[in-house]
Amino acid sequence: MNGIIHKANYWWHALALLTAFLWGSTFVASKILLQAGLTPAEIMCLRFALSWVLLLPFCHSTIWSNWLDELTFLLLGLSGGSLYFLAENTAVKISSATSTVALLVCTTPIITALMNRFLHKNEHLSGRFMIGSVIALIGVSLVVLNGVFVLDDDPLVILLSLGASVLWGIYSLVIRRMEGRYSSAIITRKVFFYGIITMLPMCIAEHISGNSVLTLNTLLQPQVLVTLLFLSLIASLLCFLVWNIVISRIGIVTASNYLYFNPVVSLIVAYIVLSENITHLAILGCALTIMGVYLCNKKGKTLILHSKKKSHQ
């Protein structure tokens, strides 16, 4: 019986890793759409809207729950959707060195772990976790910088980038509150809906100001259409569904550690699709990232030590 449980647990780890890999490739996919003339707000709205429409026929129950839960879902749509994308993309737009944004956003796992520890006093971070996190962050730094050590010291860029990390941490923690009360499909559908609703004003403002050049012909371009379908069906619909289940099965902190792989995947995909260069330092960074995540999630003494009361049950 224990063997079956351990085997199932490995599957959830594998799904967390796969989700992180798929999300890592979205940076390149978004870059393709930005080059085609779409704005960040349009990209988010389109991918969430298509995902919501495709999910609705298979998950049309609980259209409205209660005011408190709907406000919670609104918070999820803001923290995991509109505000997160707005903070990250605004930082990229105004930054003179986008590597700064990528690097600071990669602090998401450690920020999530610290927020979780603050809210749940009976859960303690082990020394191995902290060492693994530091090694992973060093590795991520080498990957993101990729041999070009240029950073932006603009306070607004730093604030927005760290804000994006905090927002995703909030999303992960709020998801934990909704565990067992709603299915992953319902939660995901609500996230998409409120993400769209709260980002629509930005899209409308862009059209009114003339900053948007989105047309039907643009959307029907093969490369744009395929990329948008990937972001909607795979990176949004599938990944959000899986991620919302994964964090309930292996824990917020453990699942979040796999997000360290996002820039590693971005580097590899950018090399394959956009022919971007990979330096020896970046390769070293990949190795350190893998080592750090391995240490964080290594079996043995648990990563998060629960209260003595729980351990004796």
Side-chain angles (χ1 to χ4, degrees):
M1 183 68 178
N2 286 336
I4 295 174
I5 292 173
H6 285 312
K7 189 175 290 185
N9 201 37
Y10 287 137
W11 273 110
W12 293 118
H13 281 272
L15 287 173
L17 181 60
L18 176 62
T19 303
F21 269 50
L22 290 171
W23 275 340
S25 64
T26 61
F27 293 102
V28 176
S30 296
K31 190 171 183 177
I32 292 172
L33 294 182
L34 289 169
Q35 290 173 344
L38 278 71
T39 68
E42 289 171 341
I43 293 172
M44 200 222 86
C45 275
L46 286 170
R47 62 186 279 193
F48 272 30
L50 183 54
S51 299
W52 183 81
V53 169
L54 293 172
L55 182 60
L56 190 60
F58 303 98
C59 177
H60 49 74
S61 63
T62 318
I63 298 300
W64 178 267
S65 49
N66 58 68
W67 280 105
L68 180 58
D69 284 354
E70 289 300 322
L71 287 173
T72 303
F73 287 130
L74 172 61
L75 178 59
L76 287 172
L78 287 166
S79 58
S82 55
L83 285 184
Y84 174 84
F85 282 94
L86 190 60
E88 184 179 72
N89 290 319
T90 302
V92 170
K93 186 176 180 179
I94 65 177
S95 177
S96 59
T98 54
S99 56
T100 304
V101 181
L103 184 57
L104 292 175
V105 170
C106 285
T107 61
T108 298
I110 187 65
I111 287 178
T112 301
L114 293 173
M115 291 171 65
N116 184 69
R117 171 68 182 87
F118 178 77
L119 292 175
H120 302 92
K121 303 297 184 182
N122 63 324
E123 298 182 4
H124 304 280
L125 302 177
S126 68
R128 188 184 65 250
F129 170 82
M130 300 306 296
I131 293 171
S133 294
V134 171
I135 293 174
L137 277 173
I138 292 172
V140 165
S141 301
L142 295 176
V143 171
V144 170
L145 295 173
N146 197 16
V148 182
F149 295 92
V150 179
L151 292 174
D152 192 336
D153 60 357
D154 186 336
L156 183 57
V157 171
I158 294 172
L159 184 63
L160 287 169
S161 302
L162 290 177
S165 294
V166 171
L167 284 166
W168 189 259
I170 292 172
Y171 173 83
S172 299
L173 290 168
V174 175
I175 283 288
R176 180 174 181 173
R177 180 185 179 278
M178 308 303 281
E179 285 176 15
R181 302 180 58 206
Y182 296 93
S183 68
S184 176
I186 290 175
I187 294 173
T188 304
R189 193 196 74 210
K190 294 282 189 178
V191 170
F192 291 157
F193 175 76
Y194 284 112
I196 296 164
I197 294 299
T198 52
M199 184 59 88
L200 268 178
M202 174 71 71
C203 291
I204 294 171
E206 288 177 343
H207 278 276
I208 293 175
S209 64
N211 291 328
S212 171
V213 293
L214 180 63
T215 64
L216 183 59
N217 288 334
T218 302
L219 290 177
L220 294 179
Q221 292 176 18
Q223 187 179 39
V224 171
L225 187 59
V226 170
T227 303
L228 191 56
L229 286 173
F230 165 75
L231 288 174
S232 301
L233 297 177
I234 307 299
S236 293
L237 182 56
L238 178 63
C239 286
F240 270 84
L241 277 171
V242 172
W243 189 257
N244 292 341
I245 298 174
V246 162
I247 59 179
S248 69
R249 299 304 178 109
I250 63 175
I252 296 168
V253 177
T254 302
S256 296
N257 287 331
Y258 289 106
L259 296 179
Y260 283 124
F261 286 116
N262 282 359
V264 174
V265 178
S266 296
L267 183 78
I268 296 171
V269 175
Y271 171 76
I272 296 171
V273 177
L274 303 176
S275 300
E276 293 188 2
N277 187 42
I278 297 180
T279 66
H280 290 94
L281 281 175
I283 295 173
L284 174 61
C286 292
L288 288 174
T289 302
I290 294 171
M291 182 188 302
V293 174
Y294 172 76
L295 285 174
C296 284
N297 295 341
K298 186 176 181 294
K299 296 290 183 181
K301 294 181 179 180
T302 54
L303 172 64
I304 299 181
L305 305 175
H306 296 279
S307 63
K308 291 182 179 180
K309 181 180 178 181
K310 286 189 176 181
S311 64
H312 290 303
Q313 287 178 347

